[in-house]
Amino acid sequence: MLAKHGFISALGRLTSHSPSSSSSSVLRRQEFLVRTLCGSRIHRPKLIRAMSSTSEADAENVLRIVTPSLDPKRHKGQAGKIAVIGGCREYTGAPYFAAISALKIGADLSHVFCTKDAATVIKSYSPELIVHPVLEESYSISQFSEEEKRKVQDKVLGEVDKWMERFDCLVIGPGLGRDQFLLECVSKIMVLAKKVNVPFVVDGDGLFLVTNSIELVKSYPLAVLTPNVNEYKRLVQKVLNCEVDEQNSEDQLRSLAKQIGGVTILKKGKSDLISNGETVRSVGIYGSPRRCGGQGDILSGSVAVFLSWAQQLKSSPESSLENPAILGCIAASGLLRKAASLAFTKHKRSTLTSDIIECLGERYGFLSY
Amino acid sequence: MLAKHGFISALGRLTSHSPSSSSSSVLRRQEFLVRTLCGSRIHRPKLIRAMSSTSEADAENVLRIVTPSLDPKRHKGQAGKIAVIGGCREYTGAPYFAAISALKIGADLSHVFCTKDAATVIKSYSPELIVHPVLEESYSISQFSEEEKRKVQDKVLGEVDKWMERFDCLVIGPGLGRDQFLLECVSKIMVLAKKVNVPFVVDGDGLFLVTNSIELVKSYPLAVLTPNVNEYKRLVQKVLNCEVDEQNSEDQLRSLAKQIGGVTILKKGKSDLISNGETVRSVGIYGSPRRCGGQGDILSGSVAVFLSWAQQLKSSPESSLENPAILGCIAASGLLRKAASLAFTKHKRSTLTSDIIECLGERYGFLSY
């Protein structure tokens, strides 16, 4: 995992704007940032504006704090190893977008676990990804007996499990499809991940699976769900037994996250809303009016990277920062919205998801490395 | 092979900065360069700084000397024919990175020998490569009898052997995977290469193979191993029966290379360390803090090209330069580190391995063509 690598200096770097660099001023600055992130009100006009009525998070600040410093002493893997579970005969773009976004943001290694049909195509999109053709869909085992099918499932799980502990975060769902046999395997992959405390972000068809089997994520604090309008609607109906209430969207989101035992939910929209059942944050900066498919995949890959970075930040003894999942969601949302805005400035209505991915790096321009 | 093509003029070119072009000054210049490369101390402040306490090699100078001049009279193949042995169902990016890097550096032809599954994908990355779908993994021959398996192995070896003498250097290991049947074939490919004195660079899963069967490379002076932190650790444990000693890393590396009978080892790290059991050189110039996967593949492809160029330089009667493997490692390390540094300047944390490959050519800017 990512322990002990640069997070102290990442926090330290932020103090460089302070006129004094004494340790007490460093400490005050860190406390200030911790309050900014974790919700305690403080009496500075800018922050009151940022935190109070709208719960708008200071996404740029979170992004700065969560991003580890780049240290030449570190070696491959220490800046993040992400795996996307998705990609089937029908869908190949979504898992690619999620996986390549993770690399563009700064992860060292990005894997994809998909079906054989999807693997050749996803590999051909980019030599940067490690693509494992291990998942199976019903059509390829339709002639098999129940016993043979069980063996195939065991084999799939074995192939994923041997890698599991190496990953800092999974993204489950982009381009997964809805094949029953495949979704059963993915349910069991979630169980494997929980066993060894690997966090996961659930999006797309992964949310279809989870909405119908909420126990798969219930009370797992390292699960993040990233629903769009329709996926959110189904979640609310299933879990809260009611319709979406746009008038009280923050309270409803908090209730939903609480009802699922404190998982973190990033509800995508004009402003993104984030809650773990306790606090609610929103990110409404930048963004683009272009709604081309695939932007949700960038987001899920980004949340995975920032969540794993934030988790290590939490374990730094110099920091009392909490809620790595919420921090990861804020950072990812801010990053995507800025990249989408940059891409839209360049390409206007012609903006494609690949154009936004190209802008993910530019977003980092404000960081001083 | 590359004999008699431009290496004399490569050395000669370096004399052009000398105020006198008499043959005695050419000779002095060559002796000066030989001492620079081969470790004899001389009393010029710059060289003392470059060579003494840190054993830091003058990588830029080595790069200049090793690189042959481009001569319109030469024909295709004379600037290098490289083959990568690697690429299986799971991995396709690594052999591609190694093979395309060899071309970008200046080799004329770059081949890949991989499995059928990998071949289609690697071909799709680039029309520049010659990709042979000849390797086999266990899963594709699982129904075969032992006799049939032996025939498959013979066929694989025949397919590689008919090309062997045409190659100036092999790169064994990028994306090879760990399939037992495939690794057995690759062991035998190493034996074939040694029979006809074709040098080879071993990286990635090739190092896994070699660490477990050290006799495959033992006492073969044309073998270069390029381990990263973890691969080096396993090599030290297996060969020296102890743990890595960071306090005495140069001595330990020398012992390791000596113990394996004088193979050359390039130990990758913050500074790269190179030894053949006699001398130890380090290359610490430039570099990048980004650790995205695939950079090791660029390095192995680069070592292959520079080693084969340096080998021809050695055979030039005008030069008494030695250690082509060490020269190749120094040049490749310096080149990769500069290219990585250039790519990082452009792309910062978003740098991908493909971005570094794009910068390999720019590195040559300081050369006069």
Side-chain angles (χ1 to χ4, degrees), chain A residues 174-195:
Chain A
L176 201 55
R178 297 195 176 178
D179 179 80
Q180 203 188 339
F181 182 82
L182 196 154
L183 290 183
E184 268 171 36
C185 281
V186 173
S187 302
K188 289 180 174 161
I189 291 172
M190 286 188 185
V191 174
L192 293 174
K194 288 192 285 185
K195 248 188 206 163

Side-chain angles (χ1 to χ4, degrees), chain A residues 134-334:
Chain A
V134 299
L135 302 183
E136 294 284 357
E137 289 182 85
S138 301
Y139 76 89
S140 66
I141 51 162
S142 56
Q143 308 300 320
F144 287 15
S145 68
E146 285 309 308
E147 175 62 15
E148 286 169 326
K149 284 181 184 173
R150 203 185 48 74
K151 278 187 185 163
V152 171
Q153 193 179 74
D154 288 347
K155 199 178 162 217
V156 170
L157 292 173
E159 292 282 345
V160 179
D161 198 30
K162 71 183 182 193
W163 286 90
M164 187 62 82
E165 285 197 73
R166 305 190 208 184
F167 295 130
D168 299 304
C169 192
L170 307 182
V171 183
I172 299 176
L176 201 55
R178 297 195 176 178
D179 179 80
Q180 203 188 339
F181 182 82
L182 196 154
L183 290 183
E184 268 171 36
C185 281
V186 173
S187 302
K188 289 180 174 161
I189 291 172
M190 286 188 185
V191 174
L192 293 174
K194 288 192 285 185
K195 248 188 206 163
V196 288
N197 283 319
V198 172
F200 53 73
V201 182
V202 187
D203 191 43
D205 295 316
L207 285 169
F208 169 79
L209 170 65
V210 158
T211 303
N212 293 324
S213 310
I214 207 76
E215 72 284 356
L216 285 171
V217 294
K218 195 158 190 175
S219 302
Y220 186 53
L222 299 176
V224 177
L225 317 183
T226 54
N228 62 19
V229 173
N230 290 324
E231 291 156 349
Y232 186 73
K233 187 180 166 190
R234 285 194 290 269
L235 258 178
V236 167
Q237 289 169 339
K238 190 85 180 190
V239 176
L240 297 181
N241 269 317
C242 64
E243 293 304 312
V244 171
D245 177 4
E246 282 301 345
Q247 299 306 307
N248 297 294
S249 54
E250 295 195 15
D251 287 340
Q252 190 173 47
L253 175 64
R254 187 188 287 109
S255 301
L256 179 64
K258 197 164 200 158
Q259 189 69 28
I260 313 178
V263 300
T264 298
I265 302 175
L266 193 171
K267 176 187 179 243
K268 295 177 277 196
K270 186 162 173 285
S271 271
D272 295 332
L273 272 187
I274 301 152
S275 181
N276 63 347
E278 300 290 331
T279 55
V280 183
R281 295 282 173 270
S282 76
V283 180
I285 53 164
Y286 307 112
S288 149
R290 186 79 169 100
R291 292 287 174 267
C292 49
Q295 295 181 61
D297 307 309
I298 302 180
L299 185 72
S300 61
S302 308
V303 171
V305 178
F306 287 118
L307 186 161
S308 60
W309 286 351
Q311 221 186 4
Q312 295 307 313
L313 184 61
K314 187 185 171 193
S315 71
S316 154
E318 274 70 12
S319 167
S320 59
L321 288 167
E322 286 179 310
N323 295 323
I326 286 197
L327 293 179
C329 288
I330 293 171
S333 171

Side-chain angles (χ1 to χ4, degrees), chain A residues 87-93 115 117-118 137 175 177-178:
Chain A
C88 60
R89 188 162 58 158
E90 211 155 13
Y91 305 113
T92 52
T115 67
D117 300 302
E137 289 182 85
R178 297 195 176 178

Side-chain angles (χ1 to χ4, degrees), chain A residues 67-68 70 72-74 76 103-109 120 123-124 126-128 130-133 163 361 369, chain B residues 88-93 96-97 121 124-125 228-229 270 289-294 344 348-350 352-354:
Chain A
T67 305
L70 284 166
K73 286 182 207 143
R74 301 176 78 184
K76 185 174 75 176
L103 281 184
K104 281 279 195 180
I105 285 167
D108 284 345
L109 293 164
T120 311
K123 281 168 187 282
S124 77
S126 167
E128 316 278 352
I130 300 165
V131 184
H132 307 262
W163 286 90
Y369 56 91
Chain B
C88 61
R89 185 165 60 156
E90 212 155 12
Y91 305 112
T92 51
Y96 164 73
F97 287 142
V121 177
S124 79
Y125 291 147
N228 63 20
V229 174
K270 186 165 173 278
R290 184 79 168 100
R291 293 285 173 270
C292 49
F344 188 75
K348 298 283 188 299
R349 197 182 290 265
S350 288
L352 303 185
T353 296
S354 304

